[in-house]
Amino acid sequence: MKRFKNNLIAVDQGSSVMFSDFANNGPMWTGDGPRESVTEVEFAEAYLEPPMVHVSISMWDTGGDTNQRADLRVERITQTGCALVFRTWGDSRIARIRADWMAIGEVPDEDAWDVV
């Protein structure tokens, strides 16, 4: 659990189609073995510290003739953004993925004075 020092907590959220490989016979749809797709996310405003970020699959379009293998993670979280990373492996055929994300963290206080 992350505790905040004040009530200046901000929530930012978004949705991203990470790839649509069935349309162009891309590697997630036609490939085999380990595959990865990375989508960079930029937050609307900078947080004081890297926020907590939650990600989930909101649309999952797969081929029905193979096993459905998926790993969706958030990596490289900074005050200004993060990377959504989708991985699959084996013979899985992933046509497209949409990921929804939510960042929660502390933001600067416009009324706070930095007295040195």
Side-chain angles (χ1 to χ4, degrees):
M1 172 188 297
K2 183 169 183 174
R3 294 182 181 260
F4 298 99
K5 295 177 229 153
N6 59 43
N7 294 328
L8 293 168
I9 299 172
V11 177
D12 197 1
Q13 63 183 11
S15 186
S16 179
V17 174
M18 296 187 66
F19 57 85
S20 190
D21 279 9
F22 73 95
N24 60 2
N25 286 325
M28 290 293 187
W29 184 242
T30 61
D32 215 332
R35 286 156 282 154
E36 176 179 282
S37 176
V38 178
T39 300
E40 299 294 332
V41 168
E42 186 175 326
F43 303 137
E45 296 179 30
Y47 289 90
L48 286 177
E49 296 180 9
M52 294 176 287
V53 181
H54 171 78
V55 66
S56 63
I57 294 174
S58 57
M59 189 263 304
W60 167 255
D61 186 5
T62 66
D65 56 341
T66 62
N67 289 322
Q68 299 174 6
R69 300 173 184 95
D71 178 22
L72 177 62
R73 296 175 185 229
V74 179
E75 297 181 356
R76 300 189 310 271
I77 303 170
T78 68
Q79 287 101 327
T80 58
C82 64
L84 307 180
V85 182
F86 179 86
R87 293 179 179 98
T88 192
W89 56 95
D91 63 350
S92 295
R93 291 173 19 105
I94 314 297
R96 58 185 165 182
I97 290 289
R98 183 177 62 230
D100 288 356
W101 58 269
M102 181 182 345
I104 304 171
E106 191 174 15
V107 293
D109 181 354
E110 294 176 3
D111 295 330
W113 293 51
D114 188 10
V115 179
V116 183

